[in-house]
Amino acid sequence: MRGVSLSIVFRIVCLAIWALCCYAVDGNIAQANQPLSISMFHSLNRVSTPVISPNQKLALFVTSYYSQDTNKSAAYLSCIDIASGNIVQLTENRPGTSLSNPIWFDDNTFGFLRHGELYKQELRPGAIATVVFNPPIAITSVSYRANSGLISFIASVYPNSTLEECVALKHADSTKSDSAQVYDNLWARHWNEWMTLEKPNLFVAPLNISEQVWRVGPEINLSAALPRCPDALTRWHIDDYTISPSGSSVAFLARPPVENMTWSTSVHVYLASTTGSSRPHLITQHTNGQASAPVFSSDGRRLAWLQMETPGYEADTNRIYIHTIATRETISIAHDWELSPHSLVWSKDDRTLYSITGKRGRNLVIAVDVDTGHRQELTTSGSAGSVRPAGNQAALYIYSNVDQPGDIHMLDLVSGKSKQLTEVNKEKLKDVHLSPAEEFWFNGAKGDKVHGWLLRPYGFERRKKYPIALLIHGGPQQASVQGFMHSQWNPNMYASAGFVTVVINFHGSSTYGQNFTDSIRHRWGDYPYVDIMRGIDYVTSRYSFADKSRMAALGGSFGGYMVNWLNGHTDEFKCFVSHDGKFNTISGYYGTDELWFPEWDLGTPWQGAGRAILEVNNPERFASSFKTPTLFIHGEKDFRIPITESLGAWTMLRRRNIPARLVYFPDEDHWINKMGNSIRWYTEVIDWIAKWTNTTPPYHVR
């Protein structure tokens, strides 16, 4: 380097660094060491909703994960100091240990559920958990109110029975000489279980606290005061409730047990005294749609909830209703809002309701002024959930993005700035590449703008061509959002296997306004198909690295239906994966558990107009045109879309000598819930799409 000045050398080095950075941005993606493998994905930690202490200074949260070595899950409890961010682990972290439902008894004592029993533990190092309540049957959804000294909980019991009586009745049932269940009404089964005499009921019980002994007194079944139902198999059941800050009253959701409940979406809100001395008061008697998410104001004087107003339609807009308890007056606020919130929580001063609301493929925290209905977006990207105010100026919530698993964040309600408080996967993901999502818009059906997301594959190099994995969401009135999913449809799992991963929020998707959602009615096979095919054309014309000659399409539920529809209408894909997908809209109607869904979206098969709509949208009608290799996956306990739908399509393809495979899970339902089964699911799926697109994933799949 003799004769060359140091300043020139410095400039050359800087130019070289600049060129490398430009290449990383404009050419190849700067890569972490590893792809997100199937094993790594299933080991990731998950955080629960934060539970704020009475003094608003601390928050409890559960961290859970799965250990493939032991085939066991673990869940442990931690406490975070909201001001400092310091985190202390409170319970044992070991595969096979579990807990849920953390609660506060006071600022120095917390509780949780383990195996259906209620425990307490002091907030100090070395403290040992002790049992507070060991009921004869498992309980869930526990809450505690110090003002009244009451705990509330849900337990599944026989009609009007106590917890003790339920044990005896269950034993008597088990010793019967036959196992027949006789049904006279259309609510024989739901999701993954047949209706039995045991139903979730709401209980309260006094918790007597002394220095030496904590005792739970006799429980009161608040459900027992509801009107009697002539059919015990379809009687009242309560899955969701909220208790007032004073503990003097509860509000709960219940589907009224009318005859043949499967074509009514009505879910009502009831108010009841925790004394059990009076019949619960129905406060939604003037609406017949589905209610959800009831929550008391901080002063206990008002109750807010979300209300759909269209009977028979489960994807209607959620309107915000507020009921003043003293006057029994109910109003609706922000009724002009075109978006549909899906959770609510009051601010500490009761002037604002914080909602989680979907907007353009994102789940945002949006504040709604209670007096004016004015809305303010407090977050702008990613997926937010489980927002919980912590004092007057802050709120905790769970935030995730496509390339960022969920963590607890703190939102400054004054400045609107967020701060991350937990990093539960920092060590596990420190050398793992996760692709961010790039959004795109294109002209879809009806000339409407349609939104999609794209992820570049692991090891991306711009000059190379990569296969495409098209993920089709279910619903159909749902959306693929900019968040991290722990289910079978995490887009980074396909990007990590070497695929350009594409998701399209076709007509019918939520988060784009109610008109866009409603547009799919009677047009299952029409607008979504146009959107998907135009979306693929846009991606392959816009992104030169996306190889249109090597495409796979995958979907579950409605996405599985759409895969079957694609198989009868295009040969542009090398292979398909249909998870719990409908093959025949006629048999699908007769076999499903909730009739309001196909009746609203399509029609009834014995009526002329309904039959015509069902047939127009029936994939089976185009069975002779199916020609693409397909992997079918189904759970035996799926009563939403029975397994005969996948069996029928699989049988047709095999009989016609078209490559097809069936993966059957005898212990799963509409979803894959067991982690070992989820690992097998991903193994089969990625192996299948890699085979037919001639792709070699960057890690060993099997």
Side-chain angles (χ1 to χ4, degrees):
M1 301 293 290
R2 184 181 298 172
V4 181
S5 70
L6 290 176
S7 62
I8 295 176
V9 173
F10 179 75
R11 290 177 185 177
I12 293 172
V13 171
C14 289
L15 284 171
I17 293 173
W18 176 82
L20 285 171
C21 291
C22 289
Y23 184 70
V25 172
D26 216 25
N28 305 336
I29 292 178
Q31 204 70 56
N33 294 334
Q34 305 173 35
L36 181 63
S37 67
I38 296 172
S39 177
M40 172 60 71
F41 174 71
H42 287 87
S43 75
L44 293 179
N45 296 321
R46 311 182 191 194
V47 293
S48 73
T49 300
V51 181
I52 312 297
S53 62
N55 63 13
Q56 307 294 295
K57 295 181 179 180
L58 306 171
L60 298 170
F61 66 94
V62 177
T63 304
S64 59
Y65 65 92
Y66 170 73
S67 167
Q68 191 170 351
D69 292 338
T70 62
N71 192 28
K72 293 180 180 179
S73 295
Y76 62 92
L77 197 58
S78 299
C79 181
I80 185 167
D81 184 294
I82 297 173
S84 68
N86 291 333
I87 298 173
V88 178
Q89 183 178 316
L90 301 173
T91 63
E92 182 183 16
N93 171 13
R94 178 171 53 84
T97 60
S98 65
L99 56 81
S100 63
N101 198 162
I103 60 173
W104 291 95
F105 291 113
D106 56 45
D107 290 323
N108 299 305
T109 314
F110 61 91
F112 55 86
L113 286 179
R114 176 174 283 159
H115 307 307
E117 299 176 344
L118 180 61
Y119 285 73
K120 74 173 180 72
Q121 184 173 324
E122 292 183 12
L123 193 66
R124 59 177 176 80
I128 298 174
T130 57
V131 176
V132 173
F133 186 30
N134 181 18
I137 61 174
I139 62 174
T140 63
S141 306
V142 173
S143 189
Y144 174 70
R145 292 293 181 267
N147 290 337
S148 62
L150 288 177
I151 63 168
S152 52
F153 57 89
I154 287 175
S156 291
V157 297
Y158 283 72
N160 301 320
S161 72
T162 65
L163 302 183
E164 291 285 354
E165 291 167 345
C166 182
V167 175
L169 290 168
K170 192 167 187 174
H171 175 73
D173 245 2
S174 68
T175 59
K176 291 194 307 183
S177 60
D178 70 87
S179 60
Q181 292 276 19
V182 180
Y183 299 94
D184 292 313
N185 289 300
L186 278 178
W187 198 247
R189 60 184 191 174
H190 192 226
W191 277 123
N192 59 5
E193 61 184 4
W194 289 86
M195 293 296 174
T196 68
L197 291 174
E198 294 175 89
K199 303 288 183 189
N201 279 212
L202 177 59
F203 292 84
V204 295
L207 175 59
N208 302 308
I209 298 176
S210 67
E211 291 186 7
Q212 285 76 30
V213 181
W214 290 34
R215 286 195 178 92
V216 174
E219 74 273 7
I220 301 172
N221 186 344
L222 300 181
S223 313
L226 289 164
R228 294 186 66 83
C229 178
D231 187 346
L233 288 170
T234 56
R235 67 184 175 87
W236 301 92
H237 69 276
I238 299 171
D239 294 319
D240 190 16
Y241 77 95
T242 182
I243 187 166
S244 65
S246 67
S248 61
S249 58
V250 295
F252 60 84
L253 299 174
R255 189 182 298 277
V258 297
E259 188 174 342
N260 298 323
M261 295 165 64
T262 57
W263 62 80
S264 171
T265 58
S266 294
V267 174
H268 286 302
V269 181
Y270 293 82
L271 271 173
S273 167
T274 53
T275 64
S277 59
S278 59
R279 177 171 290 186
H281 171 58
L282 172 65
I283 63 173
T284 51
Q285 64 268 32
H286 300 301
T287 57
N288 289 309
Q290 180 174 304
S292 62
V295 58
F296 281 100
S297 59
S298 299
D299 63 12
R301 296 177 180 178
R302 288 177 290 179
L303 180 77
W305 70 92
L306 298 174
Q307 181 69 56
M308 295 182 183
E309 298 176 337
T310 305
Y313 186 29
E314 67 174 1
D316 193 20
T317 304
N318 276 321
R319 304 297 184 186
I320 301 175
Y321 277 41
I322 298 177
H323 179 81
T324 302
I325 295 171
T327 63
R328 294 192 173 185
E329 178 188 11
T330 301
I331 62 171
S332 174
I333 67 169
H335 208 272
D336 61 334
W337 200 4
E338 67 169 357
L339 299 178
S340 187
H342 46 86
S343 70
L344 294 174
V345 63
W346 292 82
S347 63
K348 290 301 177 182
D349 61 9
D350 291 335
R351 295 179 179 178
T352 305
L353 282 165
Y354 299 110
S355 74
I356 301 297
T357 303
K359 182 178 181 180
R360 295 191 171 190
R362 300 161 174 88
N363 284 324
L364 308 180
V365 181
I366 298 181
V368 183
D369 187 283
V370 172
D371 291 331
T372 67
H374 175 74
R375 281 88 63 188
Q376 179 184 3
E377 295 178 12
L378 302 181
T379 61
T380 58
S381 65
S383 186
S386 304
V387 61
R388 295 294 185 269
N392 293 319
Q393 297 186 332
L396 302 189
Y397 68 103
I398 295 177
Y399 173 85
S400 74
N401 209 313
V402 172
D403 58 347
Q404 181 180 349
D407 270 301
I408 297 174
H409 288 235
M410 181 174 65
L411 175 65
D412 187 315
L413 298 173
V414 178
S415 68
K417 295 181 179 180
S418 284
K419 175 184 178 182
Q420 185 171 339
L421 297 183
T422 65
E423 293 181 289
V424 297
N425 286 295
K426 181 179 180 180
E427 286 302 310
K428 291 184 177 181
L429 292 177
K430 64 180 180 180
D431 296 321
V432 175
H433 172 73
L434 294 176
S435 295
E438 306 172 35
E439 65 180 327
F440 60 90
W441 292 83
F442 62 94
N443 293 322
K446 302 173 61 181
D448 293 339
K449 288 291 184 181
V450 177
H451 186 216
W453 301 102
L454 179 143
L455 278 69
R456 303 188 184 210
Y458 172 82
F460 174 74
E461 297 179 28
R462 180 176 290 278
R463 294 178 179 83
K464 290 185 177 181
K465 288 274 193 178
Y466 296 93
I468 297 171
L470 170 69
L471 307 185
I472 307 175
H473 70 69
Q477 295 95 348
Q478 297 176 5
S480 295
V481 299
Q482 190 187 32
F484 194 88
M485 301 176 66
H486 286 279
S487 69
Q488 284 67 54
W489 306 104
N490 185 302
N492 253 300
M493 288 299 291
Y494 306 93
S496 290
F499 289 81
V500 175
T501 305
V502 177
V503 294
I504 294 171
N505 285 327
F506 44 79
H507 279 79
S509 300
S510 60
T511 79
Y512 301 92
Q514 195 61 39
N515 289 337
F516 193 81
T517 301
D518 293 346
S519 66
I520 199 173
R521 190 181 190 193
H522 300 168
R523 293 181 176 274
W524 275 24
D526 185 359
Y527 295 158
Y529 175 75
V530 173
D531 291 342
I532 286 170
M533 299 309 291
R534 289 183 182 176
I536 286 296
D537 287 343
Y538 175 85
V539 165
T540 53
S541 64
R542 171 69 176 79
Y543 300 94
S544 60
F545 51 82
D547 189 348
K548 194 174 184 179
S549 68
R550 294 192 294 151
M551 296 195 301
L554 313 84
S557 195
F558 177 83
Y561 160 91
M562 202 63 223
V563 161
N564 291 332
W565 185 265
L566 288 169
N567 210 341
H569 289 79
T570 180
D571 59 1
E572 292 192 27
F573 293 87
K574 291 297 183 182
C575 66
F576 292 124
V577 178
S578 176
H579 171 96
D580 291 2
K582 188 173 291 188
F583 173 56
N584 189 320
T585 55
I586 307 300
S587 63
Y589 172 92
Y590 288 121
T592 194
D593 58 339
E594 293 179 352
L595 292 179
W596 62 72
F597 173 49
E599 288 187 6
W600 179 272
D601 272 28
L602 299 171
T604 51
W606 60 85
Q607 296 176 326
R611 182 78 181 207
I613 294 168
L614 285 160
E615 288 290 9
V616 165
N617 294 278
N618 190 355
E620 192 276 336
R621 193 163 63 95
F622 304 94
S624 63
S625 299
F626 281 43
K627 59 179 67 71
T628 303
T630 305
L631 172 66
F632 297 96
I633 308 174
H634 222 107
E636 178 66 41
K637 296 180 179 181
D638 184 0
F639 300 154
R640 181 58 39 87
I641 299 176
I643 192 172
T644 48
E645 294 298 307
S646 285
L647 281 172
W650 178 65
T651 297
M652 180 271 295
L653 288 179
R654 295 295 300 179
R655 182 64 181 82
R656 294 178 53 219
N657 295 317
I658 297 170
R661 173 176 289 176
L662 174 67
V663 177
Y664 166 68
F665 290 101
D667 53 348
E668 297 288 6
D669 48 40
H670 200 57
W671 299 273
I672 302 298
N673 300 295
K674 298 181 178 180
M675 297 295 271
N677 287 343
S678 182
I679 290 172
R680 183 60 183 269
W681 190 98
Y682 267 114
T683 300
E684 295 291 340
V685 167
I686 292 177
D687 186 62
W688 181 264
I689 63 175
K691 170 185 174 182
W692 290 102
T693 60
N694 193 28
T695 301
T696 302
Y699 63 89
H700 293 293
V701 175
R702 291 190 182 272

